[in-house]
Amino acid sequence: MIFKAMTATSRPALRRVRTGPALRALRHRLDPARVEEIPFRAADGVRLGLTRIDTGESDRPAVLLLHGHTASADMFLLPETRNLVDVLLDEGYEPWLLDWRGSCRLPYNEKGGRYTYDDVALYDIPAAVSHIRARVGADRPLFAVAHCIGSLTLSLSLTAGLVPGLAGVVSQGVFLTPKMAGRTSLRMNLAAELLKNRLDHIPVDFRKVGLWSKYTPLFALASRKATCPDPTCQILHNSAWGMGASLFVHEHLTETTHDRLAELLGPAPLWILPHLRRIELARTVVRWNDTDLRYRALPRNALDAADRIDTPLLLLCGSENGLWLDSQKLCRDVLARRRPHLDVTYTEIPGYGHLDTFLGRGAALDVFGHVVDFLAARV
């Protein structure tokens, strides 16, 4: 069989992937008439979710919001507190929310076609950016605010040159230089080896799996030394899906948000761990698919291609981030040394962890001001 070589400008071959049912409805307190759910697919055919918040004004800068893996656009719309979408609307922006294929509003973490972070960087994020630009026009600035794996995959899209011309990027938690605690990395590696033939995902809602299930030992392990009796909180706050890290500062969540954790964060697929392990060991974002020509547009090593980043960066991180530690500070220092021409700002949020930078009851006061100040300076 003869394969035709790809040129530097050719598009990757498209891959049809089985898609799932309709997205779970978003929860919000906005006027439903303002929330436009857009039928949307990535370039490889996977059904995603794209939501536009209609402001009634045609000249507002647009802001694309990217959630973390197993979360969803819901994390930016919490009706029980003043959320990021509220703040962006009040400050004169038009929010767009992407549910990429790692969203818990979609079925792909539990069933359907498997994927790697290469697929998110190559297909999901560029497709969303292209759609938004087609709707808002070339003259309106387009920003991105990205959390955790949404930020990590965006860094791969940026260094591939697939989303050029963004007016600015706010990255929360991790960007180009992921760094985990030694015990977290060890647990991730052990889980990948010990569970790969037994489980394909780790659930977070104990009510759905029941007491006598193959997942019970994982919940029991997560409950060790836990101060909260809720099993979902234990496996997230006390364990981070079994990796031994903490995802948020417990007291920062309202009671309502705490009770919604199983809705806000879904099951973690174990089959994604090999790519995450490679990324963590490399201490940068690396491509998983080295031999598949469809992914040649992505750099092998995003940090080595960082000179292709053509937008200002704000690197945010909570001082108590138990998952990615000081990855953002490390990123700022590495880029200052290796790519001093880049416009990079680092801001640490005292007392905050990882998820509570968006889900916390005081995030509008303590975190979101840094975001809108960064955007306003670049409109």
Side-chain angles (χ1 to χ4, degrees):
M1 182 178 295
I2 300 176
F3 293 91
K4 183 179 179 180
M6 290 180 62
T7 66
T9 58
S10 62
R11 296 176 61 85
L14 298 186
R15 172 170 62 98
R16 302 302 298 183
V17 179
R18 181 165 58 91
T19 62
L23 281 79
R24 170 175 53 79
L26 286 166
R27 286 182 60 181
H28 57 82
R29 61 170 179 268
L30 298 170
D31 179 351
R34 300 180 63 189
V35 181
E36 180 187 1
E37 295 274 7
I38 300 168
F40 185 67
R41 293 183 184 270
D44 63 343
V46 173
R47 180 173 184 172
L48 308 176
L50 187 63
T51 305
R52 168 180 170 262
I53 310 301
D54 185 7
T55 65
E57 302 174 27
S58 60
D59 58 348
R60 289 189 173 209
V63 182
L64 171 63
L65 304 180
L66 300 172
H67 59 79
H69 200 170
T70 88
S72 72
D74 275 304
M75 68 178 289
F76 304 114
L77 283 164
L78 300 182
E80 62 267 21
T81 188
R82 181 163 166 79
N83 56 63
L84 181 58
V85 167
D86 290 336
V87 172
L88 291 174
L89 289 172
D90 289 347
E91 295 294 329
Y93 298 91
E94 180 180 272
W96 290 73
L97 301 90
L98 173 66
D99 280 281
W100 51 273
R101 64 191 70 196
S103 169
C104 61
R105 295 181 66 214
L106 294 161
Y108 310 128
N109 291 327
E110 297 180 78
K111 56 187 177 180
R114 296 186 177 187
Y115 58 89
T116 69
Y117 295 133
D118 292 355
D119 295 297
V120 183
L122 181 65
Y123 296 121
D124 299 10
I125 296 174
V129 169
S130 295
H131 183 93
I132 296 169
R133 282 192 166 133
R135 285 283 300 271
V136 306
D139 296 333
R140 288 168 62 184
L142 172 58
F143 295 93
V145 177
H147 170 70
C148 194
I149 298 298
S151 171
L152 186 148
T153 52
L154 175 60
S155 76
L156 193 56
S157 298
L158 285 166
T159 54
L162 296 174
V163 287
L166 295 177
V169 166
V170 178
S171 159
Q172 201 296 119
V174 64
F175 190 60
L176 276 173
T177 55
K179 175 184 175 183
M180 291 180 172
R183 70 169 188 170
T184 303
S185 178
L186 177 62
R187 285 197 182 192
M188 180 174 64
N189 292 333
L190 288 175
E193 293 302 321
L194 296 177
L195 301 176
K196 63 182 179 182
N197 295 323
R198 298 172 176 85
L199 305 174
D200 60 2
H201 67 275
I202 297 178
V204 298
D205 193 344
F206 190 67
R207 296 166 299 182
K208 289 184 177 180
V209 300
L211 180 60
W212 306 109
S213 78
K214 58 186 176 181
Y215 304 107
T216 299
L218 295 176
F219 282 91
L221 181 63
S223 69
R224 293 180 67 248
K225 299 182 180 180
T227 57
C228 178
D230 182 76
T232 295
C233 181
Q234 291 169 359
I235 207 164
L236 293 173
H237 172 255
N238 201 41
S239 180
W241 298 282
M243 292 195 296
S246 177
L247 292 182
F248 49 85
V249 176
H250 195 271
E251 55 267 28
H252 284 173
L253 303 189
T254 67
E255 182 178 351
T256 302
T257 302
H258 182 273
D259 291 345
R260 292 183 59 204
L261 285 173
E263 175 187 348
L264 294 169
L265 295 159
L270 289 175
W271 38 260
I272 201 70
L273 287 185
H275 194 187
L276 190 58
R277 289 169 65 193
R278 180 182 291 184
I279 288 170
E280 198 272 333
L281 289 171
R283 287 288 173 89
T284 188
V285 187
V286 291
R287 188 178 71 200
W288 175 257
N289 297 280
D290 288 333
T291 59
D292 192 327
L293 295 181
R294 290 172 296 197
Y295 300 92
R296 288 185 61 182
L298 301 175
R300 290 181 180 271
N301 182 310
L303 189 57
D304 289 343
D307 57 341
R308 298 192 71 176
I309 297 175
D310 62 349
T311 185
L313 303 173
L314 171 60
L315 306 178
L316 283 178
C317 185
S319 64
E320 308 304 316
N321 191 322
L323 180 61
W324 297 110
L325 305 181
D326 60 346
S327 295
Q328 297 291 61
K329 183 177 183 296
L330 174 63
C331 186
R332 188 274 311 272
D333 294 344
V334 170
L335 290 178
R337 185 173 65 253
R338 297 182 56 173
R339 300 289 188 268
H341 63 283
L342 295 180
D343 181 355
V344 181
T345 304
Y346 167 71
T347 298
E348 186 173 288
I349 312 298
Y352 274 75
H354 185 48
L355 270 166
D356 44 314
T357 51
F358 288 104
L359 302 185
R361 69 175 82 228
L365 293 174
D366 300 327
V367 182
F368 301 158
H370 297 289
V371 175
V372 296
D373 286 348
F374 174 82
L375 303 183
R378 289 157 180 85
V379 173

